[in-house]
Amino acid sequence: MKITDAKVFIGGPKKNYVTLKIMTDQGIYGLGDATLNNRETLTAAYLKDYLVQCLIGKDPRQSEDIWQYFYRGAYFRRGPIAMAAFGAIDMALWDIKAKIAGLPLYQLFGGKSREGALVYAHATGADLAHLLDSIANYVEQGYKAVRVQCGIPGMPQESYGVSSKGATDKDFITSFTGSVPKEEIWDTDKYVRYMPTVFERIRERFGDDLKILHDVHHRLLPREAAAFAKTIEPFNLFWLEDPTPAEDQASLRLLRQHSTIPIAIGEVFNSIYDCHQLIQQELIDFIRVAVTYAGGITHVKRIVDLAGLHHVRTGFHGAPSHSPISMAAQHHLNVWAPNFGIQEYLVLGTPECDALFPSEHKLEDGLFYVSDAPGLGVDFDEALAGQYEYEQGFHPVTRLADGTVWNY
Ligand code: KDG
Ligand code: MG
């Protein structure tokens, strides 16, 4: 069996999805997602200009060898662009392998450990009242876990994760367009004073069973994060995400010494070398890597296995920039992984998105069920893809009130 061609597409409904399609001489094809939010043209160019030509003639069943060939062969290793490009190839090869076997992908990992996998949605509010409405909206739909982000009085309303567009806005963390980044102001003191009152009100209104998650988005210093974690401990969060910038991993020890709050980190990591110390020293509780920019299924499965040895559960990144292809790859890992924790999932199922990526996967009562279609179980309508155009976007840049650049 040989790879005969591979094509790269950019575009989607209000998204710049980067979709890879690998064709074989047996008529079976595989799909991969190389979307790197706000840097989409770079992963597409890496695939088109360097990798696709090396794939032609290779046996698609040799996914491990092909992964090693690209990873070791690049010489300059790792980084989100390269790992997203390898990741897309890897997803497509696993898709082909499972289609050859006539099995849904999870069967190749060892079968299901659970039927439905727990997901969380993003509740958001420019103020507490709107946030409570947004949470209620998800609870009514059957969600058991919700990430909560709230506007902070005295801070500009639309800082990270906060949308003033209402309870059902789903695009607020990816829809940054324009030719230069917009800028936001951040105030740590106001944030750490106000957020505990938000968690208190959420518990009062929704009770103890709702799983509450919160993303600090790398904004606190280690001492501030430790103090904040201690303050919010009574509200029993499911996780506190990215409390500090994860470059200084040893600093998390301070947080650990002061609080038992579960910590989730890893959406910006792209290899096992970024997280093996955090995992082995048991400084985190959830690993947030994504198959999209952490080298695909082959590499992420290694991370999941290592995490399992250290009581670290999965909580894969699932922001709206992930296409239904990489989300499907993650959902197959989720039903298999013995150390599965939760999946971030922002209902991608608009009619336009479903038409571009048809699948039978389904979300029911806050749990995600993968279909038994062979492979990833997602298709791609090439003809429809042609109607979408790339639109440039940037992540915002964050500053403190005095102008100092801070962590977005
Ligand atoms: O592209 C950046 C987003 O994916 C990120 O800001 C989303 O932090 C995020 C999350 O937890 O989904
Ligand atoms: Mg995050």
Side-chain angles (χ1 to χ4, degrees):
M1 189 171 196
K2 290 205 178 337
I3 295 173
T4 51
D5 197 6
K7 291 193 225 167
V8 182
F9 305 81
I10 307 188
K14 294 203 259 164
K15 299 280 183 325
N16 293 319
Y17 294 138
V18 181
T19 304
L20 173 72
K21 180 170 182 178
I22 296 182
M23 275 72 74
T24 68
D25 57 0
Q26 318 254 318
I28 295 177
Y29 58 86
L31 297 168
D33 174 19
T35 313
L36 185 62
N37 198 24
N38 293 324
R39 293 292 184 273
E40 299 89 348
T41 53
L42 301 182
T43 49
Y46 197 153
L47 283 162
K48 284 195 273 199
D49 298 345
Y50 296 95
L51 306 183
V52 164
Q53 66 213 60
C54 307
L55 280 171
I56 312 300
K58 284 198 165 30
D59 183 337
R61 295 167 298 187
Q62 304 289 352
S63 50
E64 181 68 55
D65 183 69
I66 292 174
W67 198 92
Q68 300 293 340
Y69 176 93
F70 285 127
Y71 180 80
R72 292 171 194 267
Y75 184 62
F76 298 105
R77 292 184 187 176
R78 300 155 60 184
I81 295 163
M83 294 300 269
F86 307 160
I89 292 173
D90 187 71
M91 265 175 253
L93 298 182
W94 278 94
D95 191 21
I96 291 172
K97 201 188 297 290
K99 284 175 177 165
I100 296 169
L103 293 170
L105 182 60
Y106 67 81
Q107 290 291 8
L108 274 53
F109 305 148
K112 283 186 188 173
S113 300
R114 60 198 60 75
E115 286 300 323
L118 180 70
V119 306
Y120 71 90
H122 283 191
T124 176
D127 56 30
L128 180 57
H130 285 95
L131 174 62
L132 295 175
D133 284 352
S134 177
I135 299 171
N137 170 57
Y138 286 113
V139 170
E140 277 158 28
Q141 291 175 50
Y143 282 88
K144 295 158 180 48
V146 184
R147 184 186 94 155
V148 301
Q149 308 292 136
C150 190
I152 306 294
M155 268 211 288
Q157 292 195 328
E158 290 196 29
S159 67
Y160 173 77
V162 175
S163 170
S164 55
K165 288 196 202 123
T168 51
D169 183 15
K170 307 237 169 49
D171 292 325
F172 55 89
I173 55 168
T174 41
S175 55
F176 312 118
T177 49
S179 52
V180 291
K182 66 172 188 156
E183 297 198 5
E184 295 177 350
I185 301 293
W186 172 256
D187 185 325
T188 296
D189 288 344
K190 287 191 172 64
Y191 167 82
V192 295
R193 268 200 310 270
Y194 188 66
M195 268 323 281
T197 65
V198 172
F199 297 129
E200 188 174 16
R201 287 296 313 284
I202 295 170
R203 277 282 171 242
E204 274 166 19
R205 164 116 179 238
F206 296 97
D208 291 334
D209 286 339
L210 181 69
K211 295 177 174 40
I212 302 173
L213 299 81
H214 178 65
D215 191 347
V216 185
H217 223 249
H218 326 271
R219 297 198 177 174
L220 299 180
L221 298 173
R223 192 209 56 76
E224 293 165 346
F228 182 61
K230 265 200 319 196
T231 313
I232 62 175
E233 223 164 56
F235 309 115
N236 199 21
L237 264 57
F238 184 87
W239 83 26
L240 186 68
E241 180 184 340
D242 287 330
T244 57
E247 285 99 328
D248 178 12
Q249 303 192 339
S251 73
L252 285 164
R253 208 160 279 127
L254 183 71
L255 201 164
R256 275 296 207 219
Q257 282 157 358
H258 289 276
S259 170
T260 54
I261 195 164
I263 303 297
I265 292 184
E267 66 184 39
V268 296
F269 295 163
N270 49 73
S271 85
I272 199 164
Y273 301 104
D274 298 321
C275 55
H276 72 103
Q277 283 168 342
L278 282 179
I279 292 172
Q280 286 165 318
Q281 293 172 22
E282 301 182 6
L283 293 174
I284 55 173
D285 301 278
F286 294 92
I287 181 70
R288 295 264 299 134
V289 288
V291 294
T292 322
Y293 20 78
I297 294 162
T298 297
H299 196 68
V300 164
K301 193 166 174 304
R302 279 194 182 113
I303 297 174
V304 174
D305 284 332
L306 177 68
L309 302 180
H310 294 280
H311 324 289
V312 175
R313 290 189 282 158
T314 62
F316 297 140
H317 190 227
S321 51
H322 295 268
S323 91
I325 297 170
S326 53
M327 289 308 294
Q330 299 194 153
H331 290 309
H332 280 277
L333 285 167
N334 291 337
V335 290
W336 154 77
N339 53 326
F340 166 74
I342 198 166
Q343 173 66 58
E344 181 180 31
Y345 182 65
L346 292 128
V347 186
L348 294 152
T350 60
E352 295 83 8
C353 191
D354 290 346
L356 186 59
F357 298 100
S359 93
E360 297 298 319
H361 301 314
K362 64 172 195 273
L363 178 73
E364 231 172 64
D365 274 341
L367 301 181
F368 196 93
Y369 298 85
V370 288
S371 85
D372 273 339
L376 288 167
V378 178
D379 212 341
F380 178 62
D381 187 328
E382 271 183 61
L384 267 186
Q387 78 184 42
Y388 296 107
E389 276 181 18
Y390 169 75
E391 196 185 352
Q392 191 174 42
F394 285 88
H395 290 95
V397 168
T398 304
R399 291 185 188 274
L400 303 180
D402 72 356
T404 309
V405 173
W406 204 241
N407 311 305
Y408 172 62

